[in-house]
Structure formats: C-alpha cells, structure tokens
Amino acid sequence: MSDVTTVKSLLPTRKWWAAFVTAFSAFLISWITAGEFSKEILVMLIGVLAQAAVSYLVPNSDAPGGVPVKVKKT
C-alpha cells in the first residue's frame, strides 16, 4: 500500500488560469480601445469576474486531470 493520499487543493487549476487570463486580456484590450473606463467596460469587467467565480466554484471531476472518464457502451 502507498502512504500517499490525494487531497483537492483550493488553488485554481491551470485551466481556470488560462480562461481567466484570456477573459481579462479581452477586458483590457476593450478598455484600451475605448480609451476610457465607461459603463460598457464596467459591464465587461463584471462578466469577467462572474466567469472566474463560476468556473472556480464548479468542481472538476475526481478523475485524473479533472476530466470524467469516457464510458464505452457495449
């Protein structure tokens, strides 16, 4: 038997970071393009933060890599 046990971390996954960086980059580009912090840019920021919160709160599967194992139908 192995003495190693696995415990889920509270830290965000690499997949979460990739999605957050992409969304936040789009937010920054929109802000730079607009030239000012407007109501529309604020709405986009709220969307980015909501995306980050929801994707953090929805748990990954316990399978390796957080991806459910595909079940073959016979």
Side-chain angles (χ1 to χ4, degrees), residues 30-60:
S30 296
W31 187 2
I32 290 168
T33 302
E36 64 180 359
F37 193 82
S38 63
K39 190 179 209 178
E40 291 80 10
I41 301 300
L42 179 60
V43 169
M44 187 171 184
L45 177 60
I46 292 169
V48 168
L49 297 176
Q51 168 269 325
V54 169
S55 63
Y56 179 79
L57 293 173
V58 174
N60 287 330

Side-chain angles (χ1 to χ4, degrees), residues 18-29:
F20 177 75
V21 168
T22 303
F24 194 69
S25 297
F27 160 74
L28 291 176
I29 291 168

